[in-house]
Structure formats: structure tokens, C-alpha cells
Amino acid sequence: NITFVGTGKDTTTILGGFGIYEQENITFKNMTLTNTSDSGRGIDMHNAKVELIDVALKGCDAAGL
């Protein structure tokens, strides 16, 4: 049970990405994820349950979600 909370898509930006594997109850709220590397991923999930609420993914070259 982890929640990442920003203050809005226009004000909170995370530069980088997340790898979530075999986890549940992960929530992202009110933010933008930006990853500009050649193999950049926004949120890379495998066998996971993730909830996105008011989240934008930008510049994710290999995969947004």
C-alpha cells in the first residue's frame, strides 16, 4: 500500500520512471512522469496492480505504461 501524491500535473514532475513487479495497491496521483532516455519508461509493470489518478506520462520512448 503505497501512494505517491503530487500537487498537480502542471506543478509536480518526476524525471525518471518506475519499475513495479509483482506488487499491488500502488497509486500515483496528481503528477507528470517524464523520461527522456533512449529506453525510457514511464511506469513499467509486470504482474502488478497500479492505479493512476490525474497522471500524465511524457517523453517515455520505450513504454509509457
Side-chain angles (χ1 to χ4, degrees):
N1 296 325
I2 297 174
T3 301
F4 298 93
V5 181
T7 57
K9 289 188 289 188
D10 295 330
T11 55
T12 302
T13 299
I14 296 175
L15 179 58
F18 290 89
I20 302 170
Y21 307 99
E22 298 182 10
Q23 300 295 316
E24 295 184 1
N25 301 319
I26 309 294
T27 304
F28 293 89
K29 293 182 180 181
N30 307 323
M31 65 181 64
T32 297
L33 294 171
T34 301
N35 194 330
T36 57
S37 69
D38 289 339
S39 61
R41 292 174 177 11
I43 301 175
D44 187 13
M45 301 181 304
H46 297 280
N47 196 28
K49 293 182 181 180
V50 177
E51 182 176 14
L52 304 177
I53 301 170
D54 201 26
V55 173
L57 302 170
K58 295 182 179 180
C60 303
D61 193 37
L65 178 66

